Amino acid sequence: MGAEQTLGTSSPAETKPDQFGGPFGALVLTVVMPLASFYLWAAVDQHGGSLWLPRSLGDLAAMFPLPTVTAAALLAGWLALQGALYVFGPGPVVLGRPAHNGERAEYRINGLFSFAVSTIGLLAALYFDVVSASWLLSQWGPLLMVCSLFAVGVAALSYVAGRRRGWAERSTGNVVYDYFMGAILNPRIGRHDLKFFFESRVGMGIWAAFAVVVPAAQLEAHGQLSSAMLVVSLCQIIYIVDFFIFESNLLSMLDIIEENFGFMLWFGFLVWMPFNFTLQQQYILEADPQLSTLGGIAVLLLNVGGYYMFRSTNLQKLRFRRDPSQPIWGKVPESIDTKRGTKLLVSGWWGLARKMNYLGDILMACAWCLACGFGSVVPYFYVLYFVPLLLDRERRDYAMCSQKYGDDWERYCKRVPYRIVPYVY
Ligand code: NDP
């Protein structure tokens, strides 16, 4: 085991089914998330990348590809490879926040290593014709189905495991809501948190693999990469590499410390992230939109600006939490002392609005979509879903911070009145 660090304590359990529209909203999302994923897959696979309406039962049936043994083997192989890299790959082990029974999960921070090994292995397999990108793409539909079925199943198992425990981790007793939101915070194998593994090595990991496979398929088919494909893939790979460089940041994010591991996250990691976040590349492969040099430069500049805002905002908080005296933008940072003990930063990006990191993320999302041109709304799905997600996430974080910090949070919000966009929102 490497050097151990510890993180703070978890907040008290909340038991009201009041997020995402309560049990009804949870039911709707449990149905809509898979339907949207299959619909979008069919849009690029069968309808030229356009929005479509089913004209026959056949159209509807084609939206649901059958699972195959090959696709199941691909998923099993990925899980086995990532599991082995996680357990045996070099990297420090960090302890998470204590759960309600005082137990702490372990997190092995070696995502960058796993990413490098998997990506180099994949590129080598493609280069030496061990496997072809077009063959991998032929498994896309079946893999989508296999991952969806797997998510439905493991979410059910997690729900049962959560209900069987001696203490409730924010579960409410409402079956539909608890299945969606989860009834267990950090399910583990041994001391290893499955949620962290699935978010990092499965969600981000498969997204990274897809972000390589789709451009490789274009290269295989046309002998070159289009500007749109090059730009989107480059931007996404930068985002993914950044995630793995700062993988330990995940341990202080809402997903790990606050959200139970229910259907929303299982489906999110296994399907939503890898399949829907690469919709732009899938669309470009299918519809081949033209991106001019000037357009490409504009998109790259937008992405670089968004990335800089996103990364430097997150780093300012991280560094401030480690050492509150470290200068931000050349000055000693200002902050608000709280009764909880932690300080709230009001300098740098954190003085302009309370979530400039979300704004940076949104700018990058816009860049990836704009690279696809204006031929269809399908590749804009990412930004159309992402903006409401972050707007809702900001509200949920606001509510949690109000609970955690009480009137200190109110003081902070008076000092920094804008939520995400300075002077606008
Ligand atoms: P934040 O990084 O903003 O973290 C929120 C927490 O930070 C609060 O709960 C509070 O926790 C602390 N905090 C809030 N304000 C201050 C302050 N002024 N000074 C010091 N601490 C403060 O949000 P997220 O965890 O939601 O997001 C992290 C990153 O992940 C963002 O860049 C976001 O864009 C990205 N993201 C990406 C997603 C994707 O799908 N691509 C999805 C979701 C997020 P405490 O005080 O307890 O530490």
Side-chain angles (χ1 to χ4, degrees):
M1 192 194 288
E4 288 192 351
Q5 281 167 241
T6 56
L7 300 155
T9 50
S10 55
S11 57
E14 180 202 317
T15 50
K16 280 189 204 147
D18 56 3
Q19 300 200 18
F20 296 107
F24 180 71
L27 179 63
V28 170
L29 286 171
T30 305
V31 176
V32 165
M33 282 173 69
L35 279 184
S37 305
F38 285 107
Y39 174 89
L40 291 165
W41 168 74
V44 282
D45 190 71
Q46 296 150 27
H47 301 274
S50 304
L51 289 181
W52 60 283
L53 283 175
R55 293 184 204 288
S56 64
L57 274 179
D59 268 2
L60 263 186
M63 193 175 121
F64 300 103
L66 288 176
T68 60
V69 175
T70 310
L74 283 173
L75 176 61
W78 184 265
L79 294 179
L81 171 70
Q82 295 307 316
L85 289 171
Y86 179 80
V87 174
F88 300 115
V93 173
V94 171
L95 287 182
R97 301 187 184 205
H100 298 111
N101 64 350
E103 279 178 16
R104 312 176 80 147
E106 275 183 6
Y107 299 90
R108 195 177 288 275
I109 308 298
N110 59 7
L112 193 60
F113 170 80
S114 302
F115 164 78
V117 171
S118 317
T119 308
I120 291 169
L122 179 60
L123 286 172
L126 290 167
Y127 185 78
F128 292 110
D129 287 332
V130 178
V131 69
S132 77
S134 53
W135 179 81
L136 285 171
L137 275 189
S138 72
Q139 291 301 315
W140 197 277
L143 198 55
L144 171 64
M145 181 55 88
V146 165
C147 289
S148 302
L149 293 174
F150 186 76
V152 169
V154 282
L157 286 178
S158 304
Y159 171 77
V160 172
R163 298 303 303 168
R164 282 191 172 172
R165 294 173 77 128
W167 68 96
E169 289 182 321
R170 287 190 203 84
S171 57
T172 62
N174 182 296
V175 182
V176 174
Y177 186 84
D178 287 349
Y179 175 75
F180 180 75
M181 291 300 288
I184 188 166
L185 186 61
N186 301 115
R188 300 174 201 177
I189 292 185
R191 293 182 68 190
H192 297 287
D193 179 10
L194 280 175
K195 190 165 46 164
F196 173 79
F197 176 78
F198 272 85
E199 178 154 13
S200 174
R201 312 309 165 81
V202 178
M204 295 300 291
I206 301 183
W207 178 11
F210 284 0
V212 169
V213 168
V214 186
Q218 193 186 48
L219 206 54
E220 242 174 58
H222 305 289
Q224 61 179 21
L225 290 180
S226 69
S227 332
M229 185 70 90
L230 194 66
V231 165
V232 176
S233 301
L234 188 70
C235 294
Q236 289 206 353
I237 297 281
I238 290 172
Y239 190 80
I240 293 165
V241 170
D242 171 274
F243 168 85
F244 284 117
I245 290 175
F246 296 98
E247 189 185 29
S248 61
N249 285 6
L250 195 54
L251 305 189
S252 58
M253 277 178 63
L254 298 181
D255 312 18
I256 297 294
I257 59 177
E258 298 288 354
E259 316 238 71
N260 278 351
F261 203 3
F263 176 80
M264 179 179 77
L265 291 186
W266 277 111
F267 193 84
F269 301 154
L270 278 152
V271 179
W272 201 262
M273 280 165 79
F275 289 90
N276 296 344
F277 287 13
T278 47
L279 209 57
Q280 293 91 358
Q281 288 99 318
Q282 295 172 53
Y283 171 81
I284 293 167
L285 183 65
E286 178 60 34
D288 195 20
Q290 299 304 304
L291 179 66
S292 66
T293 309
L294 207 61
I297 292 171
V299 165
L300 281 175
L301 285 177
L302 183 61
N303 188 74
V304 168
Y307 174 73
Y308 177 72
M309 187 185 289
F310 155 87
R311 177 43 51 215
S312 57
T313 307
N314 287 329
L315 276 181
Q316 281 182 356
K317 185 180 80 173
L318 190 77
R319 289 179 180 148
F320 171 77
R321 282 276 160 93
R322 280 191 195 142
D323 175 8
S325 65
Q326 238 192 48
I328 291 180
W329 292 351
K331 290 186 196 148
V332 175
E334 288 181 51
S335 60
I336 291 178
D337 291 324
T338 70
K339 293 181 233 15
R340 195 166 172 252
T342 40
K343 291 170 187 287
L344 291 169
L345 179 61
V346 289
S347 287
W349 294 111
W350 296 87
L352 295 180
R354 301 196 292 268
K355 292 278 186 220
M356 293 297 286
N357 47 358
Y358 286 12
L359 183 59
D361 225 333
I362 289 169
L363 293 180
M364 282 188 279
C366 290
W368 306 351
C369 297
L370 284 168
C372 299
F374 301 102
S376 166
V377 76
V378 168
Y380 284 80
F381 171 78
Y382 182 61
V383 76
L384 290 175
Y385 125 86
F386 197 48
V387 171
L389 174 100
L390 288 185
L391 292 182
D392 175 70
R393 193 177 170 99
E394 185 279 327
R395 299 252 163 190
R396 291 194 298 134
D397 190 44
Y398 180 96
M400 283 186 254
C401 287
S402 296
Q403 208 177 25
K404 279 189 281 192
Y405 288 109
D407 53 356
D408 292 325
W409 185 251
E410 279 172 34
R411 275 198 300 137
Y412 168 61
C413 293
K414 270 199 190 118
R415 178 91 183 258
V416 186
Y418 300 104
R419 292 173 186 271
I420 300 179
V421 188
Y423 307 105
V424 177
Y425 175 74

